[in-house]
Amino acid sequence: MQIDTFGLERWFAEYEHEAEIMLAESGVRSLSTDRFDTDPGELGYVIPTNGDPDLRARIADRYDRVADEVLCTCGTQEANFLAVLSVLQEPDDHAVIVTPTYQALHAVPDAVGEVTRVPLEPPTWELDVDAVADAIRPETRLIVLNNPNNPTGRYHPLETVEALYDLAADADAYLLCDEVYRLLAEDPLPPVASLGPRGLSTASLSKSYGLAGLRFGWLVGNEDLLETAWNWKDYTTISPSIFGQHVAAQALEREDEILAENRELVADHRARVQEFLADYGLEWYDPVGVNGFVTVPDGYETGKEFCRAVLEEGVVLAPGEFFGHPDRFRIGFGLPTAELEDGLDRIGRVLER
């Protein structure tokens, strides 16, 4: 098995450590550990290794599922990885991927099977369900969606998601939806795993909750598929972090408070960035979540060229090349307010040169 280099992660590895302002961050600013009890007791494995049964049951309730249909993972990244490996088991198995999206959601399927991409088109990034239907083959086992979308912030409506679910069910395939930003929406859609047995949902406490360092996420789906995913997990991380699980249980108990706080911050920051973009004649699709996909300013040929200019001011952005759109860059606006304002001021200096 061969897999493409993860371009965005290598970009971060090169520049993030020395950066003063990380405006490529794709989550809400991190919460402090002093808000939680951080003593889980002995630092052994989580037993059973698919996650604490009571916590899995609490997560399952959100999806109209049962505890054995939840697998706790090390973040959404592992959840997506295990889902893909569990569904695409034969070399000619085929996946339909809605793009642009987070690279792992197309690179992992492409490494183990065959992939057809269905592109979202700017400026509205609306999904053409008929294009997905046309891409389905007899060998199709998986349709992959990221909703709300990273990098565009497009939140596909319920009727679109339900139409994709019906296509997957009719093809004897699964609809896998990465829903890591779902709870930042003011009116979140029902999760895909609640739509029926052919729905798979992945999420975590990273992006919407501001708890990326916990590395705690989950995959929700039917029990037989979860057994296969758990078997794969025995060869990846074995169990989720016991520290992550300990704090995750507390965060889920307090999620109304945490999410209300984070939604308020995100709404305020979105408005600040919107005003900044308007001042400089830049455009984006008004996003749900904490990412926006912005047009490259005049005078710069590509996203990388512009992002390298911004690096000179100590600010990291994400070039659109890593999402298949070199005429754009991704900006994250979930970081602390003072850092966001400083970062925008520095970008403004680049634009005014």
Side-chain angles (χ1 to χ4, degrees):
M1 182 175 89
Q2 293 184 330
I3 195 165
D4 291 339
T5 299
F6 205 136
L8 184 60
E9 289 300 324
R10 298 283 67 77
W11 174 269
F12 289 164
E14 185 172 358
Y15 298 114
E16 181 178 7
H17 182 69
E18 301 298 329
E20 297 175 63
I21 305 290
M22 183 64 176
L23 268 175
E25 177 56 54
S26 61
V28 175
R29 54 87 187 92
S30 299
L31 298 183
S32 172
T33 55
D34 63 14
R35 297 178 64 159
F36 305 97
D37 168 27
T38 56
D39 182 7
E42 292 184 1
L43 291 177
Y45 288 105
V46 169
I47 303 296
T49 57
N50 62 343
D52 175 74
D54 290 339
L55 182 56
R56 286 189 287 114
R58 184 185 307 171
I59 294 169
D61 284 344
R62 303 153 172 261
Y63 299 87
D64 296 325
R65 299 279 192 151
V66 298
D68 287 341
E69 295 177 302
V70 175
L71 175 66
C72 294
T73 62
C74 294
T76 313
Q77 180 80 299
E78 186 185 31
N80 288 328
F81 185 80
L82 297 175
V84 170
L85 292 183
S86 300
V87 174
L88 302 181
Q89 299 192 50
E90 301 296 333
D92 62 346
D93 282 349
H94 174 250
V96 179
I97 318 292
V98 177
T99 60
T101 192
Y102 189 59
Q103 183 175 335
L105 289 174
H106 60 79
V108 176
D110 201 30
V112 297
E114 297 191 21
V115 166
T116 299
R117 302 186 190 194
V118 174
L120 306 172
E121 298 295 343
T124 62
W125 310 103
E126 186 174 358
L127 177 58
D128 182 352
V129 174
D130 290 338
V132 175
D134 290 343
I136 291 174
R137 309 175 186 172
E139 302 82 19
T140 300
R141 299 291 175 264
L142 188 66
I143 299 171
V144 179
L145 182 69
N146 173 209
N147 200 37
N149 178 261
N150 173 12
T152 68
R154 182 64 153 94
Y155 200 17
H156 303 292
L158 181 58
E159 56 267 27
T160 297
V161 178
E162 289 177 332
L164 291 187
Y165 179 85
D166 290 342
L167 288 175
D170 290 345
D172 200 25
Y174 287 94
L175 173 61
L176 168 62
C177 192
D178 181 328
E179 298 166 338
V180 73
Y181 299 103
R182 182 177 73 91
L183 293 179
L184 286 178
E186 289 299 327
D187 186 19
L189 299 182
V192 161
S194 71
L195 299 182
R198 286 288 161 176
L200 302 173
S201 289
T202 58
S204 72
L205 299 183
S206 296
K207 306 303 185 182
S208 298
Y209 293 78
L211 294 167
L214 292 186
R215 308 313 305 135
F216 191 86
W218 52 84
L219 165 64
V220 184
N222 74 55
E223 188 173 347
D224 288 344
L225 187 75
L226 267 288
E227 282 291 331
T228 302
W230 190 4
N231 185 53
W232 274 110
K233 186 174 172 57
D234 290 340
Y235 290 93
T236 55
T237 59
I238 300 179
S239 84
S241 155
I242 198 163
F243 176 82
Q245 179 175 269
H246 177 68
V247 177
Q250 299 170 62
L252 291 176
E253 287 176 357
R254 305 177 198 170
E255 78 168 347
D256 289 346
E257 166 197 341
I258 292 171
L259 290 175
E261 180 182 318
N262 290 348
R263 287 170 183 161
E264 182 178 359
L265 178 139
V266 167
D268 175 70
H269 287 193
R270 183 189 302 112
R272 291 171 189 255
V273 177
Q274 180 72 68
E275 182 178 359
F276 173 85
L277 298 179
D279 287 345
Y280 288 99
L282 304 178
E283 298 178 358
W284 69 355
Y285 178 86
D286 188 20
V288 173
V290 287
N291 297 304
F293 212 32
V294 184
T295 53
V296 170
D298 292 340
Y300 296 90
E301 291 188 5
T302 67
K304 277 189 177 179
E305 182 184 349
F306 176 65
C307 290
R308 287 198 173 100
V310 172
L311 281 167
E312 296 175 10
E313 293 289 339
V315 177
V316 179
L317 295 168
E321 282 88 337
F322 298 129
F323 302 95
H325 287 266
D327 59 338
R328 301 209 170 223
F329 65 91
R330 189 188 76 182
I331 185 170
F333 48 87
L335 67 173
T337 303
E339 291 182 34
L340 175 67
E341 289 295 303
D342 188 5
L344 293 177
D345 287 344
R346 295 177 188 221
I347 296 172
R349 292 201 290 269
V350 174
L351 295 171
E352 290 168 6
R353 287 174 186 168

